[in-house]
């Protein structure tokens, strides 16, 4: 496992490990309430790479200049994804999250044009159908957070031809959720509502929170767990009332 510095890494591991063990949504929201002030420093200690990886993936596929794209950051937390988007020239950013305290942290960054409180899976996203050029959900697809059944909401608010970027962990404790998620994603693709462009496995996702996670689903026992980035394009509306999926892919 990686070298610890000043106890910060051990504390971050303890907090994130505890979070992964909470499957009740109410308990998880209470956890986020207390965690919000320390969230950024903890994920930095764990070398959490998902926001940058997801935005890298999206940037390669999104047509047109970044400043023209309207982006929704779902489960935006403190705004780590927005920081990555802003660094690449994206300016029209909306965010939603289920934790008021995390939204307070996001608002302080000053990167979002609009922020909304929304517990995805219990209520619909507060946007009209076909609003966004791209929708991202990074770090929230696991047990006790956003259920697989909510994926349709991401699609609903995406414009025809727009992009949806999703991430999840592939370490041992999240494999059951990952399997259910992939079944949902593949079912939507078979139904013809979107097309997969990218499924990008990543070894060095973040540092494991316990020795139990160092094994299958980690990168050469170097202390990192693995994850995956998915990118889909929503089906285009074809002339005459039908539809067809675009076939181009960034990779």
């Amino acid at each position: 496992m990686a070298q610890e510095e000043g106890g910060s890494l051990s504390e971050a591991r303890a907090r994130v490990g505890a979070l992964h063990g909470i499957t009740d949504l109410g308990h998880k929201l209470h956890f986020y309430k207390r965690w919000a002030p320390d969230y950024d420093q903890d994920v930095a200690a764990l070398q959490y790479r998902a926001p940058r990886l997801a935005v890298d993936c999206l940037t390669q596929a999104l047509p047109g200049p970044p400043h023209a794209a309207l982006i929704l950051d779902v489960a935006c937390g403190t705004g780590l994804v927005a920081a990555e988007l802003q660094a690449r020239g994206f300016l029209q950013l909306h965010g939603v999250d289920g934790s008021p305290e995390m939204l307070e942290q996001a608002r302080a960054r000053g990167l979002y044009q609009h922020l909304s409180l929304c517990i995805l899976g219990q209520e619909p996203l507060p946007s009209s159908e076909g609003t966004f050029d791209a929708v991202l959900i990074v770090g929230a697809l696991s047990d006790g957070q956003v259920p697989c059944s909510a994926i349709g909401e991401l699609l609903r608010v995406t414009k025809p031809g727009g992009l949806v970027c999703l991430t999840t962990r592939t370490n041992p404790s999240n494999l059951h959720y990952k399997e259910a998620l992939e079944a949902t994603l593949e079912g939507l693709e078979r139904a013809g509502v979107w097309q997969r462009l990218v499924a990008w496995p990543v070894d060095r996702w973040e540092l494991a929170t316990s020795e139990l996670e160092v094994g299958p689903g980690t990168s050469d026992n170097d202390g990192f767990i693995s994850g995956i980035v998915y990118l889909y394009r929503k089906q285009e509306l074809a002339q005459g009332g039908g539809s067809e999926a675009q076939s181009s892919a960034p990779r």
Side-chain angles (χ1 to χ4, degrees):
M1 305 290 279
Q3 183 74 28
E4 297 185 10
E5 298 181 3
S8 62
L9 179 54
S10 62
E11 292 168 4
R13 279 191 168 123
R15 277 191 282 261
V16 176
L19 175 70
H20 290 170
I22 300 171
T23 57
D24 177 79
L25 179 59
H27 292 162
K28 187 154 285 191
L29 287 173
H30 181 69
F31 187 96
Y32 276 120
K33 178 179 180 178
R34 294 182 290 110
W35 191 25
D38 298 317
Y39 178 85
D40 285 2
Q41 69 183 37
D42 281 356
V43 297
L46 291 173
Q47 302 179 46
Y48 178 55
R49 301 174 64 213
R52 179 170 63 82
L53 295 169
V55 173
D56 283 348
C57 188
L58 176 71
T59 302
Q60 293 184 43
L62 195 67
H67 68 266
L70 182 60
I71 309 293
L72 178 64
D73 180 10
V74 178
C76 65
T78 64
L80 295 179
V81 169
E84 296 289 347
L85 288 164
Q86 191 270 344
R88 291 160 179 77
F90 293 92
L91 303 176
Q92 301 184 67
L93 309 179
H94 290 206
V96 298
D97 198 88
S99 166
E101 294 76 20
M102 297 292 270
L103 285 174
E104 287 178 13
Q105 300 293 323
R107 188 169 289 109
R109 289 181 184 269
L111 300 178
Y112 294 96
Q113 281 65 58
H114 191 265
L115 287 166
S116 301
L117 183 66
C118 174
I119 301 177
L120 189 59
Q122 295 192 1
E123 52 192 339
L125 289 168
S127 301
S128 301
E129 182 175 351
T131 297
F132 297 96
D133 296 291
V135 175
L136 301 96
I137 181 165
V138 177
L141 292 173
S142 63
D143 283 329
Q145 293 188 294
V146 175
C148 298
S149 59
I151 299 301
E153 267 299 284
L154 308 179
L155 262 168
R156 181 184 66 81
V157 301
T158 304
K159 292 178 180 178
L163 299 174
V164 181
C165 185
L166 316 93
T167 74
T168 197
R169 293 177 286 113
T170 58
N171 58 314
S173 63
N174 200 50
L175 288 180
H176 178 74
Y177 183 93
K178 175 181 176 287
E179 290 172 1
L181 175 64
E182 289 197 331
T184 300
L185 303 180
E186 291 165 5
L188 290 168
E189 188 167 25
R190 286 194 300 271
V193 297
W194 67 5
Q195 178 192 16
R196 178 180 288 186
L197 304 181
V198 174
W200 178 21
V202 177
D203 285 338
R204 297 172 66 87
W205 192 257
E206 66 179 341
L207 287 169
T209 58
S210 74
E211 296 289 348
L212 294 176
E213 294 292 356
V214 179
T218 65
S219 175
D220 300 325
N221 292 336
D222 62 1
F224 282 83
I225 63 170
S226 56
I228 187 166
V229 181
Y230 304 100
L231 186 68
Y232 285 84
R233 178 172 281 126
K234 185 175 178 178
Q235 193 173 42
E236 286 274 22
L237 293 177
Q239 294 182 357
S243 59
E244 60 184 8
Q246 293 189 358
S247 58
S248 60
R251 296 171 184 263

